[in-house]
Amino acid sequence: MKVRFEAPDGSVVEADASPGQRLLEVGQRVGMPLEGTCEGQMACATCHVIVAPDDFTRLPKATEEEEDMLDLAPNAARTSRLSCQIVLKSEHNGLTVRIP
């Protein structure tokens, strides 16, 4: 499956991903500036991404804990998510996210 990352400089990187992978891992593998400092424990917001509006509804809803962390993320938007909390499934093929 494919996932598209829009980098802060406006460049677009398309990455191969497999179901079961976390979006954070896929982004890091292709050089996106996603720190993931807490390694997916939701103790930071350094893996914050903004999901394309058309793709946002294809993802499961964020937990209350994730929403709390997103409140701390700089440049958060209505479709913001933590990439460590997005476990990819085949129905997410073509997902597009922007790195703020």
Side-chain angles (χ1 to χ4, degrees), residues 2-79:
K2 300 284 185 189
V3 178
R4 288 186 49 185
F5 292 92
E6 296 176 359
D9 67 3
S11 63
V12 175
V13 175
E14 192 169 272
D16 290 316
S18 300
Q21 285 188 297
R22 293 191 181 274
L23 184 62
L24 171 62
E25 299 160 356
V26 176
Q28 288 174 329
R29 181 173 42 82
V30 297
M32 291 294 103
L34 295 168
E35 289 181 42
T37 304
C38 73
E39 299 179 359
Q41 300 302 310
M42 280 196 293
C44 71
T46 61
C47 68
H48 167 228
V49 295
I50 300 173
V51 180
D54 291 343
D55 293 331
F56 188 71
T57 57
R58 295 196 290 152
L59 298 174
K61 292 186 90 121
T63 64
E64 188 174 327
E65 187 177 7
E66 181 181 354
E67 291 285 348
D68 289 345
M69 287 310 306
L70 287 167
D71 287 342
L72 305 174
N75 303 312
R78 185 184 61 78
T79 61

